[in-house]
Amino acid sequence: MASPSTDIIQPCPDTSIISDPLCGTENTDAVDMTRDDKVDIKQQTGDSSSNFPKDGESVAMETTNPYSYTQRKEFTSEIYKVEIENLPRNYGFAQLKKRLSTALKLNPHKIKAMPKTNFAFVTFKNAEDRDAALTGIEGHVWKGKVLRVRKAQPAADPLLKKRKLQEEQQGGKRPRVEEEDDTPSSVRLLKCVAPYWGVPYEEQLKRKQADIVDVLKWMGKNGEPGDFFKKQRKENDGMCCKLFPVKPSPLLLGYRNKSEFSIGKGVNDEDAIVGFRFGLYKDGHCNVGPPDDIPIIPDSMKKVVQNFQHYLTTSQYSVFNPENHSGHWHQLTVRTTTGQDVMAIAEFHPQQLTKEELEAEKESIRVYFTEGKGRDSGVTSMYFHQSRARASTDKEEPYELVYGATHIYEEVLGLKFRISPDAFFQVNTKAAEILYSQLAEWCDLTPTTTVLDICCGTGTIGLTLAKRVEKVIGVEMCQQAVEDAKENAKLNGVTNVRYYCGKAEDVISHMTSSLWSKDVVAIVDPPRAGLHKKVIKALRGCQKLKRLIYVACNAKSAKTNFFDLIRKESKKHRGGVFLPVKAIPVDLFPQTPHCELIIVFERDMENSSRTDPHTTRETGADTDTSQSQCVQDTASSLTDSAKETALSPTDSVKDTALSLMDSVKDTASSVTDEGSGKDGVVTEGDGKQ
């Protein structure tokens, strides 16, 4: 699944809504400067160039200098940023990315497309790549427009920018009287983490239902003109489909099985507080409050937090400071189960410490929690993870086991699941059982069904359905989650499952091309950002797929995906249309505005194209030849992908390569058996339970 959002106070439920609103520290690298920023800085300083660092110029590490972060030893692509001007009207992010990467052979790191403008910002990993862009883009003609490019100034650190402005206001430049907030800090923190606390639960459900109604009305309004949406709007009060009442959570308090706690200074400047921030870094919030009064955090988790906070008072290392990126202790993640398993993961910025010093700190943690005051904390699995604020590489540091079990285990609907430190698992186990039961009911499964489990995580959805179907095929980008899914299948004696490790948009085209079942159901449970457009394209192009179940952790964020599924077929959007037929919210996050949404989409068989390059062939004398050619094409594509994938040294990726090769055999066997009038052969590892 996916990564936490850093632009709202309540991050996406599927990635720990209780995590610090700005859990990472890459905010200054992710915030790009717009024209308003430039104007704002001119208004504040009177000279837009006075505070910007020049190439090679050092900047004093002042607490109010919003550009001091560019002089740290840590990586930031902001120092290698360019501004492209005179872009074609209504250009898109994907178009610009393709133009830079494919046509101009450049290596952009981040692209900030500015909607309804003719300019964009692009950052690079080093000066060489940036200089190549300055040369390659200048004078390049795109859609009749001659592009211009120049170096761009780095974005201002939002917290220090706000602090500088406040100091200037207090000095009389722009006086402003601010009301003192005398609300107790515990109440302010509660409003950030559990904003619906104090609202009767029935009212919470009404608000969540109303939010979903707005999304479905938007879909009904924006659905392509036609009788279907006209009829649906008339029958469902303007919505695109029938909406069932929200299913409530069986637990309202203490339901979280995972939370990510920030480590920082308290509101009164107390050191080493473990808890949650009072808001976003970009809004000027760095202080942390303890979770003692947060009702959705279980007592077992609070106990771990209290013990770890006490441990920090004995550590020789300070907490991480997001303003100047000094210090070490950054975050504590705690995972619990309905049993007695408790996993704690300490996030630590190594700075310039030696390997020996890091090992000594890990040993100190082990002693404290196994022999010292923390031995009664209940932690059964303790991990240590080095997390650098910024790095020029996307490579993740491994999770290092300090003591205890390597995994924790949870039971869902009678099945046992293994959970790794970084694997996705629904944060409300009892409500997740309601979600999965609803999915099973709406999938219309039969013994001949093949389930495509897209963004499968540790395999929970597919494994809960496996007994009812012929085969489950899962796709997941997180390597460790795939390993967990495979192990979970073994734990539960499920043999009719297969998992692919990789980006869904890269794997799904190969996977769907080898499907010969006439009864295929796809379940997609993507992260907050939704599915990649290529995944939508592949799903629409799979004519064997007649039903698609979309599980959205944030319905508003998923609207783009919804629209791409329901929009009419065109040269750009090929494949049959999926139409929404029914929807139901499931509340996994009481005391917050969030809920999950299940929408059932069915293929529009009357108006969809019958052409499918992978599954539809002409009938008659050429059928066998066409099918053989299809197998050759699919086999070639899958084998090439497998060969490329096998170059990676990781076992999980090698397994994916073998799975892709097995798909070739499955496809060939299917066609051979169809031609001979025999039943399809089930290959090893794909037998039903």
Side-chain angles (χ1 to χ4, degrees):
M1 296 289 290
S3 314
S5 171
T6 59
D7 59 354
I8 56 172
I9 287 183
Q10 289 293 325
C12 176
D14 73 326
T15 53
S16 299
I17 64 165
I18 303 308
S19 65
D20 167 17
L22 196 68
C23 187
T25 54
E26 297 189 2
N27 53 301
T28 54
D29 193 29
V31 179
D32 287 283
M33 183 181 298
T34 64
R35 292 194 182 280
D36 289 340
D37 291 323
K38 298 176 183 178
V39 172
D40 187 40
I41 286 180
K42 287 181 179 180
Q43 291 175 343
Q44 294 175 38
T45 65
D47 182 358
S48 62
S49 62
S50 61
N51 288 319
F52 289 138
K54 307 296 190 299
D55 285 350
E57 177 187 20
S58 70
V59 176
M61 299 297 286
E62 300 172 3
T63 58
T64 57
N65 190 325
Y67 305 100
S68 59
Y69 75 93
T70 63
Q71 297 301 310
R72 298 180 192 136
K73 294 181 180 180
E74 298 163 336
F75 170 77
T76 172
S77 61
E78 284 292 317
I79 61 178
Y80 307 118
K81 182 159 67 173
V82 302
E83 179 181 359
I84 306 175
E85 297 181 324
N86 203 36
L87 287 164
R89 184 178 181 182
N90 297 326
Y91 76 93
F93 168 82
Q95 292 175 317
L96 179 56
K97 180 180 179 182
K98 183 177 180 180
R99 195 72 182 182
L100 296 176
S101 303
T102 305
L104 294 175
K105 308 297 183 184
L106 301 175
N107 300 308
H109 179 58
K110 293 182 180 180
I111 298 174
K112 180 68 173 181
M114 310 303 296
K116 298 181 180 180
T117 69
N118 66 344
F119 67 97
F121 294 99
V122 183
T123 67
F124 299 86
K125 289 187 176 182
N126 51 59
E128 182 180 357
D129 287 346
R130 180 198 60 188
D131 293 343
L134 291 171
T135 302
I137 297 174
E138 183 66 33
H140 178 72
V141 180
W142 183 23
K143 296 184 178 180
K145 295 288 187 177
V146 180
L147 305 187
R148 299 190 303 270
V149 63
R150 62 179 179 177
K151 291 181 181 179
Q153 300 292 357
D157 181 301
L159 175 64
L160 299 185
K161 177 181 175 181
K162 179 178 180 179
R163 182 174 295 167
K164 182 178 178 66
L165 177 60
Q166 289 175 338
E167 288 188 3
E168 290 179 350
Q169 291 172 345
Q170 291 173 1
K173 292 185 178 182
R174 290 173 58 186
R176 184 179 64 183
V177 178
E178 295 189 16
E179 295 183 3
E180 290 288 337
D181 187 357
D182 57 359
T183 304
S185 59
S186 59
V187 176
R188 287 192 286 123
L189 188 63
L190 187 58
K191 289 180 179 179
C192 288
V193 180
Y196 277 6
W197 173 247
V199 178
Y201 190 53
E202 288 187 4
E203 176 61 24
Q204 292 184 35
L205 296 180
K206 288 180 181 179
R207 294 182 185 183
K208 297 181 184 191
Q209 186 88 356
D211 289 340
I212 300 303
V213 167
D214 290 341
V215 172
L216 298 185
K217 284 187 175 181
W218 177 89
M219 290 174 64
K221 181 180 179 180
N222 289 276
E224 301 287 353
D227 293 338
F228 175 82
F229 283 101
K230 183 177 181 181
K231 180 181 178 182
Q232 292 291 82
R233 288 194 299 268
K234 184 176 180 180
E235 294 179 353
N236 298 292
D237 193 26
M239 294 183 288
C240 64
C241 63
K242 182 176 181 179
L243 176 63
F244 290 81
V246 58
K247 284 186 172 290
S249 170
L251 292 177
L252 305 185
L253 305 175
Y255 61 82
R256 300 253 344 157
N257 60 40
K258 177 187 176 184
S259 294
E260 296 175 351
F261 301 97
S262 291
I263 302 175
K265 290 185 177 295
V267 290
N268 296 318
D269 215 29
E270 314 99 311
D271 200 8
I273 298 296
V274 182
F276 303 118
R277 281 192 188 161
F278 287 87
L280 296 175
Y281 179 89
K282 69 178 183 179
D283 292 334
H285 298 284
C286 273
N287 297 115
V288 175
D292 302 344
D293 298 319
I294 305 300
I296 56 182
I297 304 299
D299 290 339
S300 59
M301 199 173 283
K302 293 177 182 178
K303 187 176 182 180
V304 176
V305 169
Q306 291 166 358
N307 277 272
F308 195 80
Q309 182 167 306
H310 184 268
Y311 168 76
L312 293 179
T313 63
T314 70
S315 174
Q316 62 178 308
Y317 300 113
S318 61
V319 301
F320 182 79
N321 187 331
E323 297 179 46
N324 57 30
H325 288 206
S326 63
H328 301 273
W329 294 109
H330 178 224
Q331 180 178 292
L332 176 71
T333 300
V334 184
R335 308 188 77 148
T336 62
T337 67
T338 53
Q340 300 299 315
D341 292 347
V342 178
M343 178 184 287
I345 307 156
E347 300 280 352
F348 186 87
H349 194 305
Q351 301 293 2
Q352 307 302 317
L353 295 183
T354 64
K355 182 178 180 181
E356 290 73 21
E357 289 172 320
L358 292 172
E359 289 298 325
E361 188 63 20
K362 287 193 293 181
E363 175 62 13
S364 178
I365 295 174
R366 187 196 68 78
V367 171
Y368 181 87
F369 281 92
T370 59
E371 303 173 14
K373 293 184 178 180
R375 63 183 178 276
D376 296 327
S377 64
V379 175
T380 58
S381 175
M382 173 66 78
Y383 276 91
F384 183 85
H385 186 228
Q386 298 181 42
S387 59
R388 299 182 184 276
R390 290 197 186 91
S392 58
T393 176
D394 295 329
K395 182 180 178 181
E396 282 281 341
E397 293 290 338
Y399 288 84
E400 304 169 63
L401 183 65
V402 177
Y403 75 86
T406 56
H407 302 83
I408 58 175
Y409 293 85
E410 182 61 282
E411 288 193 6
V412 177
L413 296 176
L415 299 179
K416 188 175 183 179
F417 292 93
R418 186 182 87 170
I419 304 172
S420 296
D422 59 344
F424 169 77
F425 202 85
Q426 289 287 2
V427 299
N428 185 338
T429 304
K430 293 302 180 183
E433 292 185 323
I434 295 175
L435 177 73
Y436 299 152
S437 297
Q438 187 65 51
L439 284 172
E441 180 182 338
W442 277 11
C443 281
D444 289 345
L445 304 174
T446 70
T448 62
T449 300
T450 293
V451 174
L452 305 183
D453 189 1
I454 312 299
C455 306
C456 65
T458 55
T460 47
I461 293 178
L463 290 172
T464 59
L465 304 177
K467 291 182 179 180
R468 313 183 188 192
V469 301
E470 181 177 11
K471 181 188 295 186
V472 174
I473 302 175
V475 180
E476 171 59 45
M477 188 173 70
C478 175
Q479 175 185 327
Q480 186 56 58
V482 170
E483 294 301 324
D484 286 341
K486 292 178 179 179
E487 184 62 28
N488 289 333
K490 293 178 182 178
L491 282 173
N492 295 285
V494 178
T495 58
N496 60 331
V497 296
R498 174 173 291 163
Y499 295 102
Y500 294 85
C501 180
K503 292 183 178 180
E505 57 265 32
D506 296 334
V507 176
I508 198 169
S509 58
H510 301 305
M511 189 173 63
T512 55
S513 66
S514 64
L515 291 176
W516 291 88
S517 172
K518 295 181 179 179
D519 182 10
V520 182
V521 175
I523 300 175
V524 296
D525 186 12
R528 175 187 171 83
L531 293 173
H532 193 283
K533 286 182 177 291
K534 291 181 180 178
V535 180
I536 299 291
K537 181 180 179 181
L539 291 172
R540 286 187 54 151
C542 179
Q543 292 298 319
K544 292 284 185 179
L545 184 59
K546 302 298 188 296
R547 176 170 287 221
L548 185 150
I549 319 295
Y550 196 114
V551 184
C553 65
N554 188 309
K556 292 181 180 178
S557 297
K559 290 199 296 186
T560 299
N561 278 174
F562 296 159
F563 183 69
D564 286 341
L565 287 169
I566 67 177
R567 71 194 312 167
K568 282 188 175 181
E569 190 172 2
S570 64
K571 290 183 179 180
K572 186 177 181 181
H573 301 280
R574 298 183 182 278
V577 174
F578 281 96
L579 300 175
V581 294
K582 54 185 175 181
I584 185 169
V586 182
D587 186 20
L588 268 69
F589 317 103
Q591 320 308 331
T592 81
H594 306 288
C595 69
E596 298 274 340
L597 173 65
I598 302 174
I599 300 187
V600 176
F601 292 88
E602 292 183 350
R603 181 81 71 175
D604 181 9
M605 299 306 297
E606 294 183 2
N607 301 309
S608 294
S609 168
R610 297 295 188 269
T611 302
D612 186 335
H614 299 303
T615 59
T616 305
R617 302 292 175 187
E618 295 180 1
T619 58
D622 294 332
T623 299
D624 292 340
T625 302
S626 297
Q627 288 180 332
S628 297
Q629 184 61 46
C630 176
V631 174
Q632 292 174 11
D633 293 344
T634 302
S636 176
S637 176
L638 288 167
T639 303
D640 288 344
S641 178
K643 288 178 179 178
E644 293 175 4
T645 306
L647 295 176
S648 172
T650 63
D651 291 338
S652 179
V653 175
K654 288 180 180 178
D655 289 343
T656 299
L658 293 175
S659 294
L660 290 169
M661 291 178 177
D662 287 342
S663 292
V664 178
K665 297 176 183 178
D666 289 350
T667 304
S669 297
S670 269
V671 175
T672 302
D673 294 333
E674 285 185 10
S676 61
K678 298 178 182 178
D679 294 333
V681 177
V682 180
T683 61
E684 182 179 357
D686 283 334
K688 291 178 64 179
Q689 182 182 11

